[in-house]
Amino acid sequence: MGIAISSSSPAVAARCAHARAGAGVVATQNITDPSLGPKGLDLLAGGMNAEAALAGLLADYPAAPWRQVVLLDGQGRAAIHSGEHTLGIHAVATGKDCAAAGNLLANDGVPAAMVAAFGMAKGSLGDRLLSAMHAGVAAGGEAGPIHSAGLYIVRDVSWPIADLRIDWAEDDPIGALEDLWALYEPQLEDYVTRALDPTAAPSYGVPGDL
């Protein structure tokens, strides 16, 4: 499972993108409260489906009207909350094993374009997530320029197999993120192998590696 995200703000993925192997995905955005990410993942890991986890997350939470939150559980079921104080034009969309949400958008069709692109895209999960992000931009994207983007993917190990971030770019952070993914993806399995079994790890291929 994974999440891709972008924003006009710096370092968006550091605050907003959360996922855990065996649990699910949480995006917490719009006047962000990063604590909602791990709390939501704990509820999902405890066996709640997305709808129940969202309800539990926002119960007795007075700041809910200012938050936009997306949960995706391990079975691909989505639950989304957009509070009444969500900024600007905002919209959500869901599809098979995916969900998209945004605020401060150029138009309310952006999330639907992202979901459609994710459903049609080929390749790895990272490729499909980036295809969805490009489709969002093509559909209008955020009303203003975006400056940061991130890609976070979890699998059958306890750490993220990809945690890639463009924390600030004057122009096209999603393009920069795609370039970074193109560099990282061919090495991804090597990094997993090095963690699980260093005796089977391939050469690092860097100066000083004997």
Side-chain angles (χ1 to χ4, degrees):
M1 302 186 74
I3 176 173
I5 192 165
S6 66
S7 177
S8 56
S9 301
V12 62
R15 300 182 305 278
C16 301
H18 306 268
R20 187 184 304 166
V25 176
V26 179
T28 166
Q29 50 200 53
N30 190 76
I31 316 177
T32 307
D33 177 358
S35 74
L36 295 177
K39 289 176 182 176
L41 292 173
D42 286 345
L43 294 173
L44 292 170
M48 289 186 177
N49 63 30
E51 287 287 352
L54 179 62
L57 186 62
L58 299 182
D60 302 318
Y61 179 66
W66 285 267
R67 313 302 185 195
Q68 188 176 52
V69 186
V70 183
L71 283 78
L72 197 70
D73 64 29
Q75 285 68 52
R77 297 169 296 202
I80 306 176
H81 165 80
S82 295
E84 61 187 271
H85 298 307
T86 303
L87 296 170
I89 296 174
H90 55 90
V92 304
T94 60
K96 179 176 170 52
D97 297 329
C98 69
N103 57 80
L104 293 172
L105 297 172
N107 63 76
D108 62 7
V110 172
M114 296 174 70
V115 165
F118 182 83
M120 293 186 295
K122 305 298 183 182
S124 66
L125 177 59
D127 294 335
R128 296 176 69 197
L129 287 168
L130 286 164
S131 292
M133 297 297 284
H134 282 299
V137 172
E142 191 167 334
I146 57 172
H147 293 295
S148 68
L151 177 67
Y152 193 94
I153 300 174
V154 296
R155 205 176 65 188
D156 55 350
V157 291
S158 61
W159 64 90
I161 60 167
D163 183 4
L164 307 181
R165 304 205 318 240
I166 304 300
D167 284 341
W168 184 264
E170 290 295 335
D171 182 59
D172 193 19
I174 294 173
L177 182 64
E178 186 171 46
D179 290 342
L180 182 57
W181 174 242
L183 174 69
Y184 186 80
E185 185 181 21
Q187 306 177 59
L188 188 155
E189 293 299 337
D190 291 345
Y191 286 114
V192 173
T193 299
R194 286 167 183 154
L196 296 177
D197 184 5
T199 66
S203 168
Y204 293 93
V206 295
D209 179 12
L210 303 177

Short mmCIF file of all heavy atoms in Angstrom, two decimals, residues 23-87:
data_model
loop_
_atom_site.label_atom_id
_atom_site.label_comp_id
_atom_site.label_asym_id
_atom_site.label_seq_id
_atom_site.Cartn_x
_atom_site.Cartn_y
_atom_site.Cartn_z
N ALA A 23 -1.64 -2.61 8.16
CA ALA A 23 -2.69 -1.75 8.72
C ALA A 23 -3.43 -1.01 7.62
O ALA A 23 -4.58 -1.29 7.31
CB ALA A 23 -2.09 -0.78 9.73
N GLY A 24 -2.76 -0.06 6.99
CA GLY A 24 -3.41 0.71 5.94
C GLY A 24 -2.69 2.01 5.69
O GLY A 24 -1.49 2.14 5.96
N VAL A 25 -3.44 2.98 5.20
CA VAL A 25 -2.91 4.28 4.81
C VAL A 25 -3.79 5.37 5.43
O VAL A 25 -5.01 5.23 5.48
CB VAL A 25 -2.91 4.45 3.28
CG1 VAL A 25 -2.46 5.84 2.87
CG2 VAL A 25 -2.03 3.39 2.63
N VAL A 26 -3.15 6.44 5.89
CA VAL A 26 -3.88 7.62 6.38
C VAL A 26 -3.24 8.86 5.78
O VAL A 26 -2.03 9.04 5.86
CB VAL A 26 -3.87 7.72 7.91
CG1 VAL A 26 -4.61 8.98 8.37
CG2 VAL A 26 -4.48 6.49 8.56
N ALA A 27 -4.06 9.70 5.17
CA ALA A 27 -3.62 11.03 4.76
C ALA A 27 -4.34 12.03 5.65
O ALA A 27 -5.57 12.01 5.75
CB ALA A 27 -3.97 11.29 3.30
N THR A 28 -3.58 12.88 6.32
CA THR A 28 -4.17 13.92 7.14
C THR A 28 -3.74 15.26 6.58
O THR A 28 -2.55 15.58 6.52
CB THR A 28 -3.78 13.77 8.63
OG1 THR A 28 -4.11 14.97 9.33
CG2 THR A 28 -2.31 13.45 8.80
N GLN A 29 -4.70 16.05 6.10
CA GLN A 29 -4.37 17.27 5.37
C GLN A 29 -5.38 18.37 5.69
O GLN A 29 -6.31 18.16 6.45
CB GLN A 29 -4.34 16.98 3.86
CG GLN A 29 -5.56 16.25 3.33
CD GLN A 29 -5.30 15.57 1.99
OE1 GLN A 29 -4.36 14.79 1.84
NE2 GLN A 29 -6.15 15.86 1.01
N ASN A 30 -5.14 19.55 5.14
CA ASN A 30 -5.94 20.75 5.40
C ASN A 30 -5.78 21.20 6.84
O ASN A 30 -6.42 20.68 7.75
CB ASN A 30 -7.42 20.52 5.09
CG ASN A 30 -8.21 21.83 5.13
OD1 ASN A 30 -8.13 22.64 4.22
ND2 ASN A 30 -8.95 22.05 6.20
N ILE A 31 -4.93 22.21 7.04
CA ILE A 31 -4.61 22.68 8.40
C ILE A 31 -4.24 21.44 9.23
O ILE A 31 -4.90 21.07 10.20
CB ILE A 31 -5.76 23.47 9.04
CG1 ILE A 31 -6.35 24.46 8.02
CG2 ILE A 31 -5.28 24.21 10.29
CD1 ILE A 31 -7.55 25.23 8.53
N THR A 32 -3.17 20.80 8.83
CA THR A 32 -2.87 19.42 9.19
C THR A 32 -2.59 19.21 10.67
O THR A 32 -1.88 19.98 11.31
CB THR A 32 -1.64 18.96 8.40
OG1 THR A 32 -1.87 19.20 7.02
CG2 THR A 32 -1.35 17.50 8.61
N ASP A 33 -3.13 18.10 11.19
CA ASP A 33 -2.76 17.57 12.50
C ASP A 33 -2.04 16.25 12.26
O ASP A 33 -2.68 15.22 12.05
CB ASP A 33 -4.01 17.36 13.36
CG ASP A 33 -3.70 16.74 14.71
OD1 ASP A 33 -2.52 16.45 14.99
OD2 ASP A 33 -4.65 16.53 15.50
N PRO A 34 -0.70 16.23 12.28
CA PRO A 34 0.02 14.99 11.98
C PRO A 34 -0.28 13.85 12.94
O PRO A 34 -0.08 12.69 12.59
CB PRO A 34 1.50 15.42 12.07
CG PRO A 34 1.49 16.89 11.80
CD PRO A 34 0.22 17.38 12.44
N SER A 35 -0.75 14.16 14.14
CA SER A 35 -1.02 13.09 15.10
C SER A 35 -2.15 12.17 14.64
O SER A 35 -2.25 11.02 15.11
CB SER A 35 -1.36 13.67 16.48
OG SER A 35 -2.67 14.22 16.51
N LEU A 36 -3.00 12.64 13.73
CA LEU A 36 -4.08 11.80 13.24
C LEU A 36 -3.56 10.61 12.44
O LEU A 36 -4.24 9.58 12.35
CB LEU A 36 -5.04 12.62 12.39
CG LEU A 36 -5.82 13.73 13.11
CD1 LEU A 36 -6.67 14.51 12.11
CD2 LEU A 36 -6.69 13.15 14.22
N GLY A 37 -2.37 10.73 11.85
CA GLY A 37 -1.83 9.64 11.06
C GLY A 37 -1.57 8.39 11.88
O GLY A 37 -2.18 7.34 11.65
N PRO A 38 -0.67 8.45 12.88
CA PRO A 38 -0.42 7.26 13.68
C PRO A 38 -1.63 6.79 14.47
O PRO A 38 -1.83 5.59 14.65
CB PRO A 38 0.72 7.68 14.61
CG PRO A 38 1.04 9.08 14.31
CD PRO A 38 0.29 9.52 13.12
N LYS A 39 -2.47 7.71 14.91
CA LYS A 39 -3.68 7.30 15.64
C LYS A 39 -4.61 6.50 14.73
O LYS A 39 -5.16 5.47 15.12
CB LYS A 39 -4.40 8.52 16.18
CG LYS A 39 -3.70 9.22 17.33
CD LYS A 39 -4.44 10.48 17.75
CE LYS A 39 -3.71 11.22 18.87
NZ LYS A 39 -4.39 12.50 19.21
N GLY A 40 -4.77 6.96 13.50
CA GLY A 40 -5.61 6.24 12.54
C GLY A 40 -5.03 4.88 12.20
O GLY A 40 -5.77 3.89 12.10
N LEU A 41 -3.72 4.81 12.04
CA LEU A 41 -3.08 3.53 11.74
C LEU A 41 -3.22 2.56 12.89
O LEU A 41 -3.40 1.35 12.68
CB LEU A 41 -1.61 3.75 11.39
CG LEU A 41 -1.34 4.48 10.08
CD1 LEU A 41 0.14 4.78 9.94
CD2 LEU A 41 -1.83 3.67 8.88
N ASP A 42 -3.16 3.04 14.12
CA ASP A 42 -3.36 2.17 15.27
C ASP A 42 -4.76 1.56 15.25
O ASP A 42 -4.94 0.37 15.55
CB ASP A 42 -3.17 2.95 16.57
CG ASP A 42 -1.71 3.27 16.88
OD1 ASP A 42 -0.81 2.65 16.26
OD2 ASP A 42 -1.47 4.14 17.73
N LEU A 43 -5.76 2.36 14.91
CA LEU A 43 -7.13 1.85 14.85
C LEU A 43 -7.28 0.81 13.74
O LEU A 43 -7.91 -0.24 13.93
CB LEU A 43 -8.11 3.00 14.63
CG LEU A 43 -8.22 4.01 15.78
CD1 LEU A 43 -9.09 5.19 15.37
CD2 LEU A 43 -8.80 3.35 17.04
N LEU A 44 -6.68 1.08 12.59
CA LEU A 44 -6.72 0.10 11.49
C LEU A 44 -5.97 -1.18 11.87
O LEU A 44 -6.45 -2.28 11.60
CB LEU A 44 -6.12 0.71 10.23
CG LEU A 44 -6.91 1.85 9.58
CD1 LEU A 44 -6.07 2.51 8.49
CD2 LEU A 44 -8.23 1.37 9.00
N ALA A 45 -4.84 -1.03 12.50
CA ALA A 45 -4.05 -2.20 12.91
C ALA A 45 -4.80 -3.03 13.95
O ALA A 45 -4.59 -4.24 14.05
CB ALA A 45 -2.70 -1.77 13.46
N GLY A 46 -5.68 -2.39 14.72
CA GLY A 46 -6.46 -3.09 15.71
C GLY A 46 -7.63 -3.86 15.14
O GLY A 46 -8.36 -4.51 15.90
N GLY A 47 -7.84 -3.80 13.83
CA GLY A 47 -8.87 -4.59 13.18
C GLY A 47 -10.07 -3.82 12.68
O GLY A 47 -10.97 -4.42 12.08
N MET A 48 -10.11 -2.51 12.90
CA MET A 48 -11.23 -1.72 12.39
C MET A 48 -11.14 -1.57 10.89
O MET A 48 -10.04 -1.48 10.33
CB MET A 48 -11.25 -0.34 13.03
CG MET A 48 -11.64 -0.31 14.48
SD MET A 48 -11.80 1.42 15.05
CE MET A 48 -12.36 1.18 16.73
N ASN A 49 -12.29 -1.52 10.21
CA ASN A 49 -12.29 -1.15 8.81
C ASN A 49 -12.16 0.37 8.69
O ASN A 49 -12.13 1.08 9.70
CB ASN A 49 -13.52 -1.68 8.08
CG ASN A 49 -14.82 -1.10 8.60
OD1 ASN A 49 -14.88 0.03 9.09
ND2 ASN A 49 -15.89 -1.86 8.50
N ALA A 50 -12.06 0.86 7.48
CA ALA A 50 -11.78 2.28 7.28
C ALA A 50 -12.86 3.17 7.88
O ALA A 50 -12.55 4.17 8.56
CB ALA A 50 -11.61 2.57 5.79
N GLU A 51 -14.12 2.83 7.66
CA GLU A 51 -15.21 3.65 8.18
C GLU A 51 -15.20 3.69 9.70
O GLU A 51 -15.36 4.76 10.32
CB GLU A 51 -16.55 3.12 7.68
CG GLU A 51 -16.82 3.39 6.20
CD GLU A 51 -17.16 4.85 5.91
OE1 GLU A 51 -17.32 5.63 6.86
OE2 GLU A 51 -17.26 5.19 4.72
N ALA A 52 -15.03 2.54 10.33
CA ALA A 52 -15.01 2.50 11.80
C ALA A 52 -13.81 3.24 12.35
O ALA A 52 -13.90 3.95 13.37
CB ALA A 52 -15.02 1.05 12.27
N ALA A 53 -12.66 3.09 11.69
CA ALA A 53 -11.46 3.77 12.17
C ALA A 53 -11.60 5.28 12.05
O ALA A 53 -11.19 6.02 12.95
CB ALA A 53 -10.24 3.28 11.38
N LEU A 54 -12.21 5.75 10.96
CA LEU A 54 -12.42 7.19 10.81
C LEU A 54 -13.36 7.71 11.89
O LEU A 54 -13.11 8.77 12.49
CB LEU A 54 -12.98 7.50 9.43
CG LEU A 54 -13.27 8.97 9.13
CD1 LEU A 54 -11.99 9.80 9.19
CD2 LEU A 54 -13.93 9.12 7.76
N ALA A 55 -14.44 6.98 12.14
CA ALA A 55 -15.37 7.40 13.18
C ALA A 55 -14.68 7.44 14.54
O ALA A 55 -14.87 8.39 15.31
CB ALA A 55 -16.56 6.44 13.22
N GLY A 56 -13.87 6.43 14.83
CA GLY A 56 -13.16 6.42 16.09
C GLY A 56 -12.13 7.52 16.19
O GLY A 56 -11.92 8.11 17.26
N LEU A 57 -11.49 7.83 15.08
CA LEU A 57 -10.46 8.86 15.06
C LEU A 57 -11.03 10.24 15.36
O LEU A 57 -10.40 11.06 16.04
CB LEU A 57 -9.78 8.85 13.68
CG LEU A 57 -8.57 9.75 13.46
CD1 LEU A 57 -7.44 9.37 14.39
CD2 LEU A 57 -8.13 9.65 12.00
N LEU A 58 -12.23 10.50 14.83
CA LEU A 58 -12.81 11.84 14.96
C LEU A 58 -13.80 11.97 16.10
O LEU A 58 -14.28 13.07 16.38
CB LEU A 58 -13.49 12.22 13.64
CG LEU A 58 -12.56 12.28 12.42
CD1 LEU A 58 -13.33 12.71 11.18
CD2 LEU A 58 -11.37 13.20 12.65
N ALA A 59 -14.10 10.88 16.78
CA ALA A 59 -15.00 10.95 17.94
C ALA A 59 -14.37 11.80 19.04
O ALA A 59 -13.20 11.63 19.37
CB ALA A 59 -15.29 9.55 18.45
N ASP A 60 -15.14 12.72 19.55
CA ASP A 60 -14.65 13.61 20.63
C ASP A 60 -13.39 14.37 20.23
O ASP A 60 -12.52 14.66 21.06
CB ASP A 60 -14.39 12.80 21.92
CG ASP A 60 -15.62 12.07 22.41
OD1 ASP A 60 -16.71 12.66 22.39
OD2 ASP A 60 -15.50 10.90 22.79
N TYR A 61 -13.31 14.70 18.94
CA TYR A 61 -12.16 15.46 18.43
C TYR A 61 -12.67 16.81 17.96
O TYR A 61 -13.22 16.93 16.87
CB TYR A 61 -11.51 14.68 17.27
CG TYR A 61 -10.32 15.37 16.63
CD1 TYR A 61 -9.14 15.57 17.34
CD2 TYR A 61 -10.39 15.81 15.32
CE1 TYR A 61 -8.06 16.19 16.75
CE2 TYR A 61 -9.32 16.44 14.71
CZ TYR A 61 -8.15 16.63 15.44
OH TYR A 61 -7.08 17.25 14.85
N PRO A 62 -12.51 17.84 18.76
CA PRO A 62 -13.17 19.12 18.46
C PRO A 62 -12.66 19.83 17.22
O PRO A 62 -13.37 20.68 16.67
CB PRO A 62 -12.89 19.95 19.72
CG PRO A 62 -11.71 19.32 20.36
CD PRO A 62 -11.79 17.86 20.05
N ALA A 63 -11.47 19.49 16.73
CA ALA A 63 -10.92 20.17 15.56
C ALA A 63 -11.32 19.51 14.25
O ALA A 63 -10.85 19.92 13.19
CB ALA A 63 -9.40 20.24 15.65
N ALA A 64 -12.21 18.52 14.29
CA ALA A 64 -12.61 17.80 13.07
C ALA A 64 -13.09 18.72 11.96
O ALA A 64 -12.82 18.45 10.78
CB ALA A 64 -13.67 16.76 13.41
N PRO A 65 -13.81 19.81 12.23
CA PRO A 65 -14.26 20.67 11.13
C PRO A 65 -13.14 21.30 10.30
O PRO A 65 -13.38 21.76 9.20
CB PRO A 65 -15.10 21.74 11.84
CG PRO A 65 -15.56 21.09 13.09
CD PRO A 65 -14.42 20.23 13.51
N TRP A 66 -11.93 21.31 10.84
CA TRP A 66 -10.80 21.93 10.14
C TRP A 66 -9.93 20.91 9.42
O TRP A 66 -8.95 21.28 8.77
CB TRP A 66 -9.93 22.71 11.12
CG TRP A 66 -10.54 24.00 11.54
CD1 TRP A 66 -10.36 25.25 10.99
CD2 TRP A 66 -11.47 24.18 12.63
NE1 TRP A 66 -11.11 26.18 11.66
CE2 TRP A 66 -11.81 25.57 12.67
CE3 TRP A 66 -12.05 23.34 13.56
CZ2 TRP A 66 -12.68 26.09 13.61
CZ3 TRP A 66 -12.92 23.87 14.51
CH2 TRP A 66 -13.23 25.23 14.52
N ARG A 67 -10.28 19.64 9.50
CA ARG A 67 -9.41 18.59 8.96
C ARG A 67 -10.01 17.92 7.74
O ARG A 67 -11.22 17.78 7.62
CB ARG A 67 -9.14 17.52 10.02
CG ARG A 67 -8.76 18.03 11.39
CD ARG A 67 -7.52 18.91 11.40
NE ARG A 67 -7.16 19.26 12.77
CZ ARG A 67 -6.31 20.22 13.10
NH1 ARG A 67 -5.72 20.92 12.16
NH2 ARG A 67 -6.05 20.46 14.36
N GLN A 68 -9.12 17.47 6.86
CA GLN A 68 -9.49 16.57 5.77
C GLN A 68 -8.64 15.31 5.96
O GLN A 68 -7.42 15.39 6.03
CB GLN A 68 -9.23 17.20 4.41
CG GLN A 68 -9.78 16.37 3.24
CD GLN A 68 -9.60 17.08 1.90
OE1 GLN A 68 -8.49 17.50 1.57
NE2 GLN A 68 -10.65 17.19 1.13
N VAL A 69 -9.31 14.17 6.07
CA VAL A 69 -8.63 12.92 6.42
C VAL A 69 -9.09 11.81 5.47
O VAL A 69 -10.29 11.69 5.19
CB VAL A 69 -8.93 12.50 7.88
CG1 VAL A 69 -8.09 11.28 8.26
CG2 VAL A 69 -8.65 13.65 8.84
N VAL A 70 -8.15 11.02 5.00
CA VAL A 70 -8.45 9.87 4.14
C VAL A 70 -7.85 8.63 4.78
O VAL A 70 -6.68 8.63 5.15
CB VAL A 70 -7.86 10.05 2.74
CG1 VAL A 70 -8.25 8.88 1.84
CG2 VAL A 70 -8.28 11.37 2.12
N LEU A 71 -8.66 7.58 4.92
CA LEU A 71 -8.17 6.29 5.40
C LEU A 71 -8.45 5.22 4.35
O LEU A 71 -9.51 5.23 3.72
CB LEU A 71 -8.86 5.87 6.70
CG LEU A 71 -8.39 6.54 8.00
CD1 LEU A 71 -8.96 7.93 8.13
CD2 LEU A 71 -8.80 5.69 9.21
N LEU A 72 -7.50 4.33 4.18
CA LEU A 72 -7.66 3.17 3.32
C LEU A 72 -7.20 1.96 4.13
O LEU A 72 -6.07 1.94 4.61
CB LEU A 72 -6.82 3.32 2.05
CG LEU A 72 -7.16 2.42 0.87
CD1 LEU A 72 -8.51 2.82 0.26
CD2 LEU A 72 -6.08 2.48 -0.19
N ASP A 73 -8.10 1.00 4.31
CA ASP A 73 -7.72 -0.16 5.13
C ASP A 73 -7.07 -1.24 4.27
O ASP A 73 -6.92 -1.10 3.05
CB ASP A 73 -8.91 -0.69 5.92
CG ASP A 73 -10.06 -1.23 5.07
OD1 ASP A 73 -9.81 -1.72 3.95
OD2 ASP A 73 -11.22 -1.15 5.53
N GLY A 74 -6.68 -2.34 4.92
CA GLY A 74 -5.94 -3.39 4.24
C GLY A 74 -6.72 -4.12 3.17
O GLY A 74 -6.13 -4.82 2.34
N GLN A 75 -8.04 -3.97 3.16
CA GLN A 75 -8.87 -4.57 2.12
C GLN A 75 -9.23 -3.59 1.01
O GLN A 75 -10.06 -3.89 0.15
CB GLN A 75 -10.16 -5.13 2.74
CG GLN A 75 -9.97 -6.43 3.52
CD GLN A 75 -9.16 -6.23 4.79
OE1 GLN A 75 -9.47 -5.36 5.61
NE2 GLN A 75 -8.11 -7.01 4.96
N GLY A 76 -8.62 -2.40 1.05
CA GLY A 76 -8.84 -1.42 0.00
C GLY A 76 -10.09 -0.58 0.17
O GLY A 76 -10.48 0.14 -0.74
N ARG A 77 -10.72 -0.66 1.35
CA ARG A 77 -11.92 0.14 1.61
C ARG A 77 -11.51 1.51 2.10
O ARG A 77 -10.62 1.65 2.93
CB ARG A 77 -12.80 -0.56 2.64
CG ARG A 77 -13.31 -1.92 2.18
CD ARG A 77 -13.94 -2.71 3.30
NE ARG A 77 -12.97 -3.04 4.34
CZ ARG A 77 -13.13 -4.06 5.20
NH1 ARG A 77 -14.20 -4.83 5.12
NH2 ARG A 77 -12.21 -4.29 6.11
N ALA A 78 -12.20 2.54 1.60
CA ALA A 78 -11.83 3.92 1.89
C ALA A 78 -12.88 4.61 2.74
O ALA A 78 -14.08 4.31 2.66
CB ALA A 78 -11.64 4.70 0.59
N ALA A 79 -12.42 5.56 3.54
CA ALA A 79 -13.30 6.46 4.28
C ALA A 79 -12.65 7.83 4.26
O ALA A 79 -11.44 7.96 4.46
CB ALA A 79 -13.49 5.98 5.72
N ILE A 80 -13.45 8.86 4.00
CA ILE A 80 -12.91 10.21 3.83
C ILE A 80 -13.76 11.21 4.62
O ILE A 80 -14.99 11.14 4.61
CB ILE A 80 -12.89 10.62 2.35
CG1 ILE A 80 -12.13 9.58 1.51
CG2 ILE A 80 -12.24 11.99 2.17
CD1 ILE A 80 -12.13 9.87 0.02
N HIS A 81 -13.08 12.13 5.26
CA HIS A 81 -13.75 13.22 5.98
C HIS A 81 -13.21 14.55 5.47
O HIS A 81 -11.99 14.75 5.41
CB HIS A 81 -13.46 13.11 7.49
CG HIS A 81 -13.78 14.34 8.26
ND1 HIS A 81 -15.06 14.66 8.66
CD2 HIS A 81 -12.99 15.36 8.70
CE1 HIS A 81 -15.05 15.81 9.33
NE2 HIS A 81 -13.80 16.25 9.36
N SER A 82 -14.09 15.44 5.09
CA SER A 82 -13.73 16.82 4.76
C SER A 82 -14.57 17.73 5.65
O SER A 82 -15.79 17.86 5.45
CB SER A 82 -14.00 17.13 3.28
OG SER A 82 -13.18 16.36 2.43
N GLY A 83 -13.94 18.33 6.64
CA GLY A 83 -14.66 19.18 7.56
C GLY A 83 -15.19 20.45 6.90
O GLY A 83 -14.76 20.84 5.82
N GLU A 84 -16.12 21.09 7.58
CA GLU A 84 -16.79 22.26 7.01
C GLU A 84 -15.85 23.42 6.78
O GLU A 84 -16.15 24.33 6.00
CB GLU A 84 -17.94 22.69 7.92
CG GLU A 84 -17.51 23.11 9.32
CD GLU A 84 -18.70 23.38 10.23
OE1 GLU A 84 -19.16 24.54 10.25
OE2 GLU A 84 -19.14 22.45 10.91
N HIS A 85 -14.70 23.42 7.44
CA HIS A 85 -13.72 24.49 7.23
C HIS A 85 -12.59 24.08 6.29
O HIS A 85 -11.55 24.75 6.27
CB HIS A 85 -13.15 24.94 8.58
CG HIS A 85 -14.15 25.51 9.52
ND1 HIS A 85 -15.01 26.53 9.16
CD2 HIS A 85 -14.45 25.19 10.80
CE1 HIS A 85 -15.79 26.83 10.19
NE2 HIS A 85 -15.49 26.01 11.19
N THR A 86 -12.79 23.02 5.52
CA THR A 86 -11.79 22.64 4.52
C THR A 86 -11.61 23.79 3.54
O THR A 86 -12.56 24.38 3.06
CB THR A 86 -12.22 21.36 3.78
OG1 THR A 86 -12.42 20.32 4.73
CG2 THR A 86 -11.15 20.92 2.80
N LEU A 87 -10.35 24.07 3.21
CA LEU A 87 -10.02 25.29 2.48
C LEU A 87 -10.37 25.21 1.00
O LEU A 87 -10.15 24.19 0.34
CB LEU A 87 -8.52 25.57 2.62
CG LEU A 87 -8.03 25.86 4.05
CD1 LEU A 87 -6.51 25.88 4.09
CD2 LEU A 87 -8.61 27.17 4.57
#
